[in-house]
Amino acid sequence: MRNIVILISGGGSNMLAIAQAAQREHWPERFQARIACVISNRPQAGGLAKAAELGLATQVVDHKSFEGQSHPREAFDSALMQAIDVHQPSLVVLAGFMRILTPGFVVHYQGRLLNIHPSLLPAFTGLNTHQRAIDAGCRFAGATVHQVTVDLDDGPILAQAVVPVMPDDTADSLAARVLTQEHLVYPQAIAEWLSRQP
Ligand code: GRF
């Protein structure tokens, strides 16, 4: 059985969509893959309760508990890697995980580390993607599932979902439309990734 570990920071709607797809599509039987743990860097992340309701194991590695150390970012990533590697994952999924990871972390998981970014990469890397798309007059926006590399929001693209930008869109209305598509494209991209792995 291959283990998937999902990292969250907030509501975990993408994690929930993935977990529900894994149950609905019988990933353990079809891909010999299961969600071994949902790990959050924030103790109050709403996604932790959602994961527990689905019977998934959860864990918190609170990034704030490393502040004040000489190298807090590296110390957090090291603790996070230890928590993840307990499960010896075939795949680590960033799902609304709002931390920039150190190169050491990324290299350790490279090739088995996925993320979803709320824009049509390579356009609009970074934050506030929906407002930037509206401000640029884009007619379309969307989300991108990609391999994580040391360059932020830059790795090989696995899948994209496109939505129209409406004339009266706000960042929130566009974000909601994109998020609906994220919940479809991320589970599908992960299932395809699993089917391609030996
Ligand atoms: C989503 O916009 C996703 O694109 C980004 O984080 C946001 C929240 O995701 N990665 P979730 O609801 O916590 O899964």
Side-chain angles (χ1 to χ4, degrees), residues 9-15 95-98 115-118 130 143 179 182-183:
S9 297
S13 70
N14 275 291
M15 174 277 301
F97 188 66
M98 303 309 275
N115 182 46
I116 190 161
H117 179 76
H130 304 305
L179 197 59
E182 291 182 25
H183 298 161

Side-chain angles (χ1 to χ4, degrees), residues 30-172:
R30 284 177 58 202
F31 304 124
Q32 293 68 53
R34 62 187 277 272
I35 297 169
C37 194
V38 173
I39 303 177
S40 174
N41 64 299
R42 294 179 55 242
Q44 61 276 49
L48 289 167
K50 293 175 188 168
E53 279 166 27
L54 281 179
L56 298 174
T58 63
Q59 186 173 350
V60 173
V61 180
D62 186 347
H63 66 275
K64 290 190 184 306
S65 56
F66 299 88
E67 287 170 0
Q69 293 196 25
S70 52
H71 301 286
R73 188 167 290 280
E74 287 75 7
F76 166 72
D77 279 18
S78 174
L80 183 60
M81 286 165 67
Q82 280 183 342
I84 292 169
D85 287 348
V86 162
H87 305 285
Q88 298 192 312
S90 299
L91 180 63
V92 179
V93 172
L94 306 182
F97 188 66
M98 303 309 275
R99 292 277 302 176
I100 293 178
L101 294 160
T102 59
F105 183 101
V106 173
V107 166
H108 182 69
Y109 295 108
Q110 188 129 10
R112 54 179 173 136
L113 181 59
L114 302 181
N115 182 46
I116 190 161
H117 179 76
S119 80
L120 296 174
L121 291 176
F124 305 122
T125 58
L127 297 174
N128 302 317
T129 59
H130 304 305
Q131 189 59 56
R132 290 158 62 198
I134 291 169
D135 294 347
C138 292
R139 294 302 192 262
F140 294 94
T144 303
V145 179
H146 64 98
Q147 298 254 11
V148 176
T149 60
V150 292
D151 299 319
L152 184 68
D153 302 331
D154 184 62
I157 291 173
L158 277 74
Q160 293 191 306
V162 182
V163 301
V165 180
M166 312 309 274
D168 59 346
D169 259 333
T170 63
D172 287 347

